[in-house]
């Protein structure tokens, strides 16, 4: 895959060829639009849902890099047709969408070593 193709808008996904539905979103419009684009790209480029989830996470991290501080959250992604999930997320950093038959849940959360149950 040529990384320049991913970065340039015109060579992005063919959104018209997919059935896309936002199930739930707490993201700002720009973040939501880019999440849709990235998830559609994943469906077009990969067959395995784990590979799709990895691509979405890495692409979103690339588009919205953090400052590198340990207290800043990181993005996560689950992709597939059948799964259950319960996640904690940062404010306005959660989306659940469907591209064709695949569901994607993406969120940003802080990973704190102090949140350990004893």
């Amino acid at each position: 895959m040529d990384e320049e193709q991913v970065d340039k808008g015109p060579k992005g996904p063919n959104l018209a060829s997919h059935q896309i539905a936002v199930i739930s979103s707490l993201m700002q419009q720009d973040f939501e639009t880019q999440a849709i684009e990235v998830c559609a790209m994943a469906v077009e480029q990969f067959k395995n849902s784990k590979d799709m989830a990895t691509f979405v996470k890495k692409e979103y991290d690339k588009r919205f890099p953090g400052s590198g501080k340990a207290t800043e959250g990181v993005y996560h992604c689950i992709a597939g047709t059948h799964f259950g999930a319960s996640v904690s997320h940062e404010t306005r950093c959660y989306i659940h969408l469907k591209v064709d038959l695949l569901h994607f849940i993406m969120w940003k959360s802080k990973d704190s070593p102090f949140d350990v149950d004893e």
Side-chain angles (χ1 to χ4, degrees), residues 1-8 41 59 62-63:
M1 174 176 77
D2 186 1
E3 288 191 23
E4 289 186 30
Q5 288 182 339
V6 172
D7 294 335
K8 294 181 181 179
M41 288 169 59
E59 182 64 22
K62 185 168 66 172
R63 290 183 184 207

Side-chain angles (χ1 to χ4, degrees), residues 45-118:
Q45 295 179 20
F46 299 96
K47 301 258 184 244
N48 183 301
S49 58
K50 182 183 182 308
D51 294 336
M52 291 179 202
T54 300
F55 173 81
V56 169
K57 184 239 185 308
K58 288 181 178 182
E59 182 64 22
Y60 220 74
D61 282 340
K62 185 168 66 172
R63 290 183 184 207
F64 301 104
S67 64
K69 294 181 181 178
T71 57
E72 190 169 318
V74 295
Y75 286 100
H76 307 276
C77 182
I78 298 172
T81 55
H82 295 89
F83 57 84
S86 176
V87 301
S88 297
H89 57 84
E90 295 296 308
T91 305
R92 302 197 44 87
C93 292
Y94 170 87
I95 189 168
H96 174 193
L97 61 100
K98 187 176 176 184
V99 179
D100 300 329
L101 298 176
L102 289 160
H103 288 263
F104 290 85
I105 297 177
M106 187 169 44
W107 72 97
K108 184 177 185 179
S109 71
K110 292 181 183 173
D111 292 333
S112 172
F114 304 109
D115 294 340
V116 178
D117 292 333
E118 293 185 24

Side-chain angles (χ1 to χ4, degrees), residues 27-47:
M27 291 185 163
Q28 296 173 358
Q29 185 64 46
D30 181 47
F31 283 71
E32 184 177 306
T33 300
Q34 292 201 43
I36 291 167
E37 290 174 4
V38 171
C39 290
M41 288 169 59
V43 169
E44 290 177 0
Q45 295 179 20
F46 299 96
K47 301 258 184 244

